[in-house]
Amino acid sequence: MAKLGETEKTEAKKEISVPLLAFTFFFSVAIYILLLGFYFWQWRTDIKPEK
């Protein structure tokens, strides 16, 4: 295999899109918060007073 030159290494690093990284980060955080909220909502509604 041929080794990457210095210019090819820097070009490979520039290919990572900053908006794509931001989207994946905030999307994963939003999903985590949604699931955590659903967990606490389910935990609250699971408690039923006895009659």
Side-chain angles (χ1 to χ4, degrees):
M1 292 188 100
K3 291 185 178 179
L4 291 175
E6 285 300 317
T7 56
E8 292 171 348
K9 283 183 184 176
T10 55
E11 285 177 6
K13 288 182 182 177
K14 288 181 182 177
E15 287 179 9
I16 299 174
S17 173
V18 175
L20 181 63
L21 285 175
F23 171 75
T24 53
F25 174 74
F26 287 116
F27 184 76
S28 60
V29 168
I31 293 295
Y32 177 75
I33 290 172
L34 182 76
L35 291 176
L36 198 63
F38 179 75
Y39 170 75
F40 280 113
W41 174 76
Q42 186 70 25
W43 180 57
R44 289 282 298 174
T45 55
D46 199 28
I47 302 169
K48 293 181 181 174
E50 300 199 12
K51 293 185 177 179

